[in-house]
Structure formats: C-alpha cells, structure tokens
Amino acid sequence: MYNGLLKSFLITLAAFVAVFLLFAPSWSADWEVSPYVTIIEEYDDNILFSSKGQKLDDFVTYVRPRVKAKCSTDRLRMSLNSGLGVEKYVDYDELDTIDHDHRITLSYALSHTLSLKTGGYFREDTTETEIIEKDTVFAEIIEKDTTLETELIEEGLLVYGEDRRKFGGNLGFNYGFSTRLKLSADWTRSYTEYPDDPVGLNDRVSDTLKLVTSYVLSPQTSLFLDLIHTNTEYDDEGDTSIANYNIIPSFRHDFGEAFYVSGGAGYRYTEHESKNSDEHTGGFVFNLLFHRDWERASMELLVRRAQYSDADRRSVERDMLTLRGTYRLSDRFRSSLVATFRRNRVDKATDNSGYYSDYYTVSPSLSYVLTPTITLRGSVDYTKYDNKEINDADKERFRARLFLNFTWPRLWRG
C-alpha cells in the first residue's frame, strides 16, 4: 500500500512540475519557482531527549533542499512546496535520516463570489535502522525519535520515537455574500501510519470540518465565527475514537499597518469512545495574539488553549504561551528571541489520573546577511520537559546551531 501511495504521489508531483514549467507561460499566467537550501551544523547534548544518566550527545549535520512554486491566472491558482531533510550523525550514524515533506494546493474561481480549493500533502520520517548496536546498554531506548521530535516541536508532547508517515488532503470553498460578509468551509482528511507497528501507537485517521463566517465591521475591524468538528479514529482493539466540537467567536483589529490584535474565546465539547467506555468532557478555549512592528524591532505574543488528540489515544487540553521578538542592529545584522511554554493536561475522560506535563523552550539567535541570497545564522536552544506524573523523569537538552541559508526567490519567473 505504502509503495503504491508513494509512487502515485511522485507521479502526481512530476506531472504537476511538468505542467507548471511547460504550460504556465502559455496560459498568460504569473508564475515563479524559488529554490532554497539550508545547511545546519549542530551540537546536541541529548539527541534522544532522555532522562539524566541516559543522555547521549553528538554532532549532527542537516541538509534541507526545498523548492516553492506558484502559478496564477485570473481564475486558477496553484502552489507547490516540496522538500527533503537529510540528517547525518557523527557517532551514532544508525540514526541517519531522510525525511520527505511535499504539499500541493489548488484553487479555482467559478465566479467573482465563489471559489473552490483543494490540496494534498505527504510527509514521512524514516531512518536506516531502528536500534543502535554499538551501545547495548541503551539498546531499548535508542530508537530514531522522529515522532518524538515532531510532537515536541508541534505540540510539546513527549512520545516514544518511531518512524511515521502522514498524508492527506482537503476540499473547500469560499463564498462572498457581499464585500463585507463572507463564508468559507473546509473538509480535511489526514492519515497517520506507523510502518513498524510499534506497541502503544496505532494508525489513525482524522476528519476535520471547519465553517468560518467573517464580517468586516470597519476598515480596521473584522469579526469571525468558527465552527469546528474533528473526529479521530484509532486502529486499535478498542475501536477508540475522539470527537471534538468547537464554537469560537473571534475578532481582529488593526490599529495601524504595524500593530494589530486578534483573538477569540469559545467552548469545546469532547467525546471519547471505545468498546469499554463512553466519556464526555468540555472546556473553555481561547486564543489571543498581539503583533507590533517598530522601525528596528518587532514583537509578537500568542496565548492559546485548545484540544488535541494525541498519539497515545488521549484527549489533551493544551495551554501555550509564546513570545517572539526581533531587533535589527543594522541593515545586515539582526537578533531574535523565541520563548515558548506549553502545558498539556490529559482529559479525565481519557485518563483519570489528572496527568499533566510542562514543556519549555528558549532560543536566542543572531543572523547576518552575507549576500542577497546567503544568510548566516547562529542560535542556542534550551528545552526542558517536566513530567508531573513520573518522578525523576524530567528531561533537558541544550543545542548549539549554525545555519547557512541559500535562497533564490523567484529564480525562474514569467
């Protein structure tokens, strides 16, 4: 099944690129192709994000080529975002990895008021071997942490490291009743598969229906009403499923070109069902974003609470606080800071223990523009995971990174 899906995706991707490059000019379309390459040298003092006493350090090289392409006519818009990620470890070369990340989106305007949209994606994290043989003492814990890394980055959740692939697509439409009132709807289906059939992790399929009504109250203020339903079904013996319903009114107000505030607050209702149980929970959800630009600096503050169905068949309530800031020291020299705090609480419908965990990240960095296409960047990252359920299970990691970014925006265009 997997080989067939990958083959179909690569054929579709090749056909898209061929059509894009060969026929876009004949459509009298605006089109562009932008390649990017990022090379990262990193020292990581805890490559598996393990507890104290089991930490392993290593030097890692990342090479990430990517291409972005866009094409648009009066009615049709297409975009492609396709890339690879190669990881090379100096000591623990059994963890060497090649990752795939490919996305395609299409939209077509049937009229001035109605447009249709669709898209698809494929993402895979794989490694050459699962177990490092040279360190038998840690044989049970040294598995490639692909799921661990992505879940930590995206959700602040700690998950056993396993190879994983994700793919899916979406359908939707936008309709404008007037210049002020608009409606959009989206259906997204996503699949998550673990090719090695690990214990405790199950394949799952998730469907999300989202209906958004927006109203322009004034040139500076817009109002929104989001209705969101997500249903996640797990391929386990208990036929576990988690359904979540959200209703969230929200707003955005622009004080000026460089300063805006957006936010919303609402309610969620979650159903957790399996052969042996049928539980329901509810809760308050919200999000608030402040963004401000000055002549040399910018600042963004995000506060959010939301529900998430995790890899362990649990419904999790997530609180997140993120602060991002940049300061331009000169035309070429810039500093930045990103700090994030996440708290994840397991719903009592899923786990009656009241388990929760905290995850902190702090990352200051400096960047320098060497040429119009080459940027050098250095950063240090400190992360800490505080498990409130298991004693002595806290985890820390320090990473020092040097980035070399090559960008060729609109290298080919017409």
Side-chain angles (χ1 to χ4, degrees):
M1 175 183 175
Y2 163 64
N3 291 332
L5 288 170
L6 179 57
K7 183 178 180 180
S8 299
F9 179 84
L10 293 177
I11 292 174
T12 304
L13 182 62
F16 180 88
V17 173
V19 170
F20 190 91
L21 294 178
L22 296 177
F23 295 101
S26 66
W27 294 341
S28 298
D30 293 326
W31 62 275
E32 62 184 63
V33 179
S34 305
Y36 303 84
V37 177
T38 299
I39 300 173
I40 307 172
E41 294 295 334
E42 172 187 279
Y43 170 74
D44 189 336
D45 76 343
N46 190 358
I47 58 175
L48 298 174
F49 207 56
S50 303
S51 302
K52 294 179 180 180
Q54 297 178 325
K55 295 170 63 174
L56 301 173
D57 67 320
D58 205 347
F59 289 90
V60 190
T61 299
Y62 300 85
V63 180
R64 297 173 179 171
R66 179 167 293 276
V67 61
K68 296 181 181 180
K70 296 179 181 180
C71 177
S72 62
T73 67
D74 291 339
R75 290 177 176 266
L76 179 66
R77 292 187 179 182
M78 301 185 295
S79 67
L80 166 71
N81 189 336
S82 181
L84 298 176
V86 180
E87 298 179 26
K88 179 66 178 177
Y89 291 76
V90 173
D91 294 328
Y92 300 98
D93 54 1
E94 291 84 352
L95 296 177
D96 292 351
T97 301
I98 298 178
D99 301 332
H100 294 262
D101 187 8
H102 313 284
R103 301 173 186 273
I104 293 175
T105 62
L106 302 169
S107 65
Y108 185 78
L110 295 175
S111 66
H112 292 295
T113 59
L114 178 62
S115 62
L116 306 179
K117 52 188 175 180
T118 186
Y121 73 95
F122 177 86
R123 177 177 176 180
E124 182 185 33
D125 307 296
T126 59
T127 185
E128 293 178 1
T129 58
E130 297 174 23
I131 303 296
I132 296 179
E133 298 176 355
K134 63 177 69 175
D135 284 271
T136 55
V137 174
F138 300 112
E140 293 184 358
I141 66 166
I142 302 181
E143 297 182 349
K144 176 56 192 170
D145 56 335
T146 53
T147 53
L148 183 149
E149 282 300 318
T150 52
E151 290 296 295
L152 278 174
I153 293 171
E154 297 172 3
E155 310 299 341
L157 287 167
L158 188 61
V159 180
Y160 288 111
E162 295 290 347
D163 293 342
R164 177 174 63 178
R165 54 177 175 262
K166 302 176 73 174
F167 55 94
N170 68 283
L171 292 171
F173 70 85
N174 295 322
Y175 185 78
F177 294 96
S178 66
T179 56
R180 293 196 171 197
L181 183 61
K182 296 181 180 180
L183 175 70
S184 68
D186 288 278
W187 167 56
T188 303
R189 166 161 286 195
S190 60
Y191 297 88
T192 301
E193 294 183 352
Y194 299 92
D196 299 325
D197 294 326
V199 177
L201 296 177
N202 303 100
D203 296 348
R204 63 185 184 271
V205 57
S206 179
D207 289 290
T208 299
L209 296 172
K210 185 174 182 179
L211 190 67
V212 179
T213 304
S214 61
Y215 182 76
V216 179
L217 188 63
S218 70
Q220 293 79 30
T221 306
S222 296
L223 305 177
F224 307 89
L225 179 62
D226 293 13
L227 303 175
I228 307 170
H229 167 59
T230 300
N231 185 66
T232 303
E233 296 183 356
Y234 296 83
D235 186 15
D236 64 337
E237 295 181 356
D239 293 331
T240 303
S241 67
I242 301 175
N244 189 60
Y245 304 84
N246 287 271
I247 176 169
I248 306 174
S250 58
F251 75 97
R252 169 168 169 156
H253 181 77
D254 291 85
F255 295 93
E257 278 188 26
F259 182 28
Y260 67 85
V261 177
S262 65
Y267 187 80
R268 71 165 176 93
Y269 175 75
T270 305
E271 299 176 345
H272 183 273
E273 297 182 355
S274 65
K275 288 183 177 179
N276 300 321
S277 66
D278 183 3
E279 302 290 343
H280 309 269
T281 61
F284 180 60
V285 292
F286 59 86
N287 63 85
L288 185 62
L289 172 66
F290 293 88
H291 181 94
R292 180 69 186 268
D293 295 324
W294 293 272
E295 183 178 353
R296 286 181 171 269
S298 67
M299 187 273 290
E300 189 171 271
L301 177 66
L302 173 64
V303 183
R304 185 181 183 188
R305 173 176 288 179
Q307 184 272 347
Y308 178 68
S309 302
D310 74 355
D312 291 323
R313 305 182 302 279
R314 302 178 303 183
S315 174
V316 177
E317 186 175 71
R318 303 173 299 168
D319 292 333
M320 183 177 72
L321 173 64
T322 299
L323 174 65
R324 300 185 183 94
T326 63
Y327 184 79
R328 183 167 54 84
L329 301 168
S330 68
D331 291 339
R332 293 191 174 191
F333 199 27
R334 176 174 297 184
S335 63
S336 66
L337 172 69
V338 179
T340 300
F341 167 74
R342 292 185 178 92
R343 170 163 289 181
N344 292 290
R345 288 183 296 270
V346 177
D347 271 349
K348 291 183 178 180
T350 312
D351 188 335
N352 213 17
S353 65
Y355 158 78
Y356 73 96
S357 62
D358 294 339
Y359 181 65
Y360 311 82
T361 65
V362 179
S363 180
S365 65
L366 294 171
S367 63
Y368 185 78
V369 179
L370 298 174
T371 72
T373 59
I374 303 176
T375 302
L376 181 65
R377 177 171 169 256
S379 73
V380 292
D381 305 320
Y382 173 77
T383 62
K384 182 179 179 180
Y385 181 83
D386 188 5
N387 191 318
K388 302 300 182 181
E389 184 181 36
I390 303 174
N391 294 328
D392 300 323
D394 298 349
K395 305 172 190 297
E396 293 180 309
R397 176 163 63 183
F398 173 82
R399 293 185 290 188
R401 293 175 166 181
L402 186 64
F403 298 75
L404 193 59
N405 296 315
F406 299 87
T407 62
W408 296 275
R410 304 192 69 195
L411 181 63
W412 301 289
R413 60 187 183 273

PDB file of all heavy atoms in Angstrom, residues 13 46 48 56 115 130 161 171 198 224 240 243 263 309 346-347 350:
ATOM      1  N   LEU A  13       3.358  14.547  -8.480  1.00  0.00           N
ATOM      2  CA  LEU A  13       4.282  15.657  -8.285  1.00  0.00           C
ATOM      3  C   LEU A  13       5.037  15.966  -9.566  1.00  0.00           C
ATOM      4  O   LEU A  13       5.178  17.136  -9.965  1.00  0.00           O
ATOM      5  CB  LEU A  13       5.261  15.305  -7.162  1.00  0.00           C
ATOM      6  CG  LEU A  13       6.281  16.367  -6.773  1.00  0.00           C
ATOM      7  CD1 LEU A  13       5.579  17.611  -6.260  1.00  0.00           C
ATOM      8  CD2 LEU A  13       7.249  15.826  -5.738  1.00  0.00           C
ATOM      9  N   ASN A  46      21.788  15.937  24.025  1.00  0.00           N
ATOM     10  CA  ASN A  46      20.820  14.909  24.423  1.00  0.00           C
ATOM     11  C   ASN A  46      19.999  14.547  23.183  1.00  0.00           C
ATOM     12  O   ASN A  46      18.845  14.943  23.043  1.00  0.00           O
ATOM     13  CB  ASN A  46      19.925  15.427  25.548  1.00  0.00           C
ATOM     14  CG  ASN A  46      19.076  14.335  26.168  1.00  0.00           C
ATOM     15  OD1 ASN A  46      19.114  13.177  25.751  1.00  0.00           O
ATOM     16  ND2 ASN A  46      18.275  14.700  27.163  1.00  0.00           N
ATOM     17  N   LEU A  48      18.457  12.037  22.103  1.00  0.00           N
ATOM     18  CA  LEU A  48      17.221  11.269  22.244  1.00  0.00           C
ATOM     19  C   LEU A  48      16.282  11.859  23.286  1.00  0.00           C
ATOM     20  O   LEU A  48      15.266  11.263  23.618  1.00  0.00           O
ATOM     21  CB  LEU A  48      17.532   9.811  22.592  1.00  0.00           C
ATOM     22  CG  LEU A  48      18.340   9.063  21.542  1.00  0.00           C
ATOM     23  CD1 LEU A  48      18.709   7.681  22.039  1.00  0.00           C
ATOM     24  CD2 LEU A  48      17.575   8.977  20.241  1.00  0.00           C
ATOM     25  N   LEU A  56      22.813  11.052  25.588  1.00  0.00           N
ATOM     26  CA  LEU A  56      23.825  10.826  24.567  1.00  0.00           C
ATOM     27  C   LEU A  56      23.988  12.112  23.771  1.00  0.00           C
ATOM     28  O   LEU A  56      22.999  12.725  23.373  1.00  0.00           O
ATOM     29  CB  LEU A  56      23.412   9.683  23.630  1.00  0.00           C
ATOM     30  CG  LEU A  56      23.161   8.317  24.278  1.00  0.00           C
ATOM     31  CD1 LEU A  56      22.602   7.352  23.251  1.00  0.00           C
ATOM     32  CD2 LEU A  56      24.438   7.767  24.883  1.00  0.00           C
ATOM     33  N   SER A 115     -15.367  30.478  -5.033  1.00  0.00           N
ATOM     34  CA  SER A 115     -14.134  29.804  -5.449  1.00  0.00           C
ATOM     35  C   SER A 115     -14.015  28.470  -4.721  1.00  0.00           C
ATOM     36  O   SER A 115     -14.457  28.324  -3.581  1.00  0.00           O
ATOM     37  CB  SER A 115     -12.907  30.672  -5.168  1.00  0.00           C
ATOM     38  OG  SER A 115     -12.770  30.912  -3.782  1.00  0.00           O
ATOM     39  N   GLU A 130      16.632   0.871  13.236  1.00  0.00           N
ATOM     40  CA  GLU A 130      15.877   1.305  14.413  1.00  0.00           C
ATOM     41  C   GLU A 130      16.712   1.304  15.682  1.00  0.00           C
ATOM     42  O   GLU A 130      16.488   2.115  16.574  1.00  0.00           O
ATOM     43  CB  GLU A 130      14.664   0.394  14.613  1.00  0.00           C
ATOM     44  CG  GLU A 130      13.679   0.445  13.469  1.00  0.00           C
ATOM     45  CD  GLU A 130      12.597  -0.570  13.659  1.00  0.00           C
ATOM     46  OE1 GLU A 130      12.363  -0.966  14.808  1.00  0.00           O
ATOM     47  OE2 GLU A 130      11.988  -0.980  12.673  1.00  0.00           O
ATOM     48  N   GLY A 161       9.905   7.404  20.329  1.00  0.00           N
ATOM     49  CA  GLY A 161      10.389   7.646  18.976  1.00  0.00           C
ATOM     50  C   GLY A 161      10.108   6.493  18.038  1.00  0.00           C
ATOM     51  O   GLY A 161      10.545   5.372  18.265  1.00  0.00           O
ATOM     52  N   LEU A 171     -10.679  19.633   0.860  1.00  0.00           N
ATOM     53  CA  LEU A 171     -11.598  20.232  -0.105  1.00  0.00           C
ATOM     54  C   LEU A 171     -12.327  21.375   0.595  1.00  0.00           C
ATOM     55  O   LEU A 171     -12.601  21.303   1.794  1.00  0.00           O
ATOM     56  CB  LEU A 171     -12.624  19.209  -0.611  1.00  0.00           C
ATOM     57  CG  LEU A 171     -12.125  18.058  -1.471  1.00  0.00           C
ATOM     58  CD1 LEU A 171     -13.251  17.043  -1.672  1.00  0.00           C
ATOM     59  CD2 LEU A 171     -11.634  18.567  -2.825  1.00  0.00           C
ATOM     60  N   PRO A 198       4.530  -0.287  16.095  1.00  0.00           N
ATOM     61  CA  PRO A 198       5.061  -0.224  17.466  1.00  0.00           C
ATOM     62  C   PRO A 198       3.980  -0.479  18.499  1.00  0.00           C
ATOM     63  O   PRO A 198       2.798  -0.187  18.286  1.00  0.00           O
ATOM     64  CB  PRO A 198       5.589   1.215  17.568  1.00  0.00           C
ATOM     65  CG  PRO A 198       4.738   1.977  16.604  1.00  0.00           C
ATOM     66  CD  PRO A 198       4.459   1.034  15.470  1.00  0.00           C
ATOM     67  N   PHE A 224     -15.440  37.226  13.335  1.00  0.00           N
ATOM     68  CA  PHE A 224     -15.453  35.863  12.801  1.00  0.00           C
ATOM     69  C   PHE A 224     -16.245  34.956  13.741  1.00  0.00           C
ATOM     70  O   PHE A 224     -16.307  35.185  14.945  1.00  0.00           O
ATOM     71  CB  PHE A 224     -14.031  35.308  12.656  1.00  0.00           C
ATOM     72  CG  PHE A 224     -13.091  36.173  11.888  1.00  0.00           C
ATOM     73  CD1 PHE A 224     -12.343  37.141  12.545  1.00  0.00           C
ATOM     74  CD2 PHE A 224     -12.949  36.030  10.520  1.00  0.00           C
ATOM     75  CE1 PHE A 224     -11.465  37.949  11.850  1.00  0.00           C
ATOM     76  CE2 PHE A 224     -12.077  36.826   9.817  1.00  0.00           C
ATOM     77  CZ  PHE A 224     -11.328  37.798  10.475  1.00  0.00           C
ATOM     78  N   THR A 240     -11.065   2.890  19.477  1.00  0.00           N
ATOM     79  CA  THR A 240     -11.090   4.189  20.135  1.00  0.00           C
ATOM     80  C   THR A 240     -11.337   5.313  19.136  1.00  0.00           C
ATOM     81  O   THR A 240     -10.788   5.305  18.031  1.00  0.00           O
ATOM     82  CB  THR A 240      -9.764   4.445  20.868  1.00  0.00           C
ATOM     83  OG1 THR A 240      -9.529   3.378  21.796  1.00  0.00           O
ATOM     84  CG2 THR A 240      -9.795   5.773  21.611  1.00  0.00           C
ATOM     85  N   ALA A 243     -13.993  12.602  19.374  1.00  0.00           N
ATOM     86  CA  ALA A 243     -14.684  13.633  18.600  1.00  0.00           C
ATOM     87  C   ALA A 243     -14.674  14.936  19.400  1.00  0.00           C
ATOM     88  O   ALA A 243     -14.973  14.937  20.595  1.00  0.00           O
ATOM     89  CB  ALA A 243     -16.115  13.203  18.287  1.00  0.00           C
ATOM     90  N   GLY A 263      -8.067  37.762  18.400  1.00  0.00           N
ATOM     91  CA  GLY A 263      -8.338  36.807  19.467  1.00  0.00           C
ATOM     92  C   GLY A 263      -9.749  36.279  19.410  1.00  0.00           C
ATOM     93  O   GLY A 263     -10.589  36.767  18.649  1.00  0.00           O
ATOM     94  N   SER A 309      -5.948  15.574  20.016  1.00  0.00           N
ATOM     95  CA  SER A 309      -5.998  14.113  20.159  1.00  0.00           C
ATOM     96  C   SER A 309      -4.602  13.568  19.867  1.00  0.00           C
ATOM     97  O   SER A 309      -4.136  13.637  18.728  1.00  0.00           O
ATOM     98  CB  SER A 309      -7.032  13.515  19.204  1.00  0.00           C
ATOM     99  OG  SER A 309      -8.312  14.053  19.449  1.00  0.00           O
ATOM    100  N   VAL A 346      -4.179  15.882  30.406  1.00  0.00           N
ATOM    101  CA  VAL A 346      -4.981  14.812  29.833  1.00  0.00           C
ATOM    102  C   VAL A 346      -6.400  14.895  30.372  1.00  0.00           C
ATOM    103  O   VAL A 346      -6.612  15.012  31.586  1.00  0.00           O
ATOM    104  CB  VAL A 346      -4.369  13.435  30.151  1.00  0.00           C
ATOM    105  CG1 VAL A 346      -5.262  12.317  29.614  1.00  0.00           C
ATOM    106  CG2 VAL A 346      -2.970  13.336  29.557  1.00  0.00           C
ATOM    107  N   ASP A 347      -7.395  14.842  29.465  1.00  0.00           N
ATOM    108  CA  ASP A 347      -8.795  14.863  29.890  1.00  0.00           C
ATOM    109  C   ASP A 347      -9.094  13.674  30.792  1.00  0.00           C
ATOM    110  O   ASP A 347      -8.612  12.563  30.568  1.00  0.00           O
ATOM    111  CB  ASP A 347      -9.717  14.798  28.661  1.00  0.00           C
ATOM    112  CG  ASP A 347     -10.017  16.186  28.130  1.00  0.00           C
ATOM    113  OD1 ASP A 347      -9.689  17.169  28.809  1.00  0.00           O
ATOM    114  OD2 ASP A 347     -10.578  16.267  27.025  1.00  0.00           O
ATOM    115  N   THR A 350     -10.150  10.455  29.308  1.00  0.00           N
ATOM    116  CA  THR A 350      -9.145   9.565  28.743  1.00  0.00           C
ATOM    117  C   THR A 350      -8.292   8.915  29.814  1.00  0.00           C
ATOM    118  O   THR A 350      -7.895   7.769  29.724  1.00  0.00           O
ATOM    119  CB  THR A 350      -8.233  10.364  27.787  1.00  0.00           C
ATOM    120  OG1 THR A 350      -9.058  11.135  26.924  1.00  0.00           O
ATOM    121  CG2 THR A 350      -7.359   9.471  26.957  1.00  0.00           C
TER     122      THR A 350
END
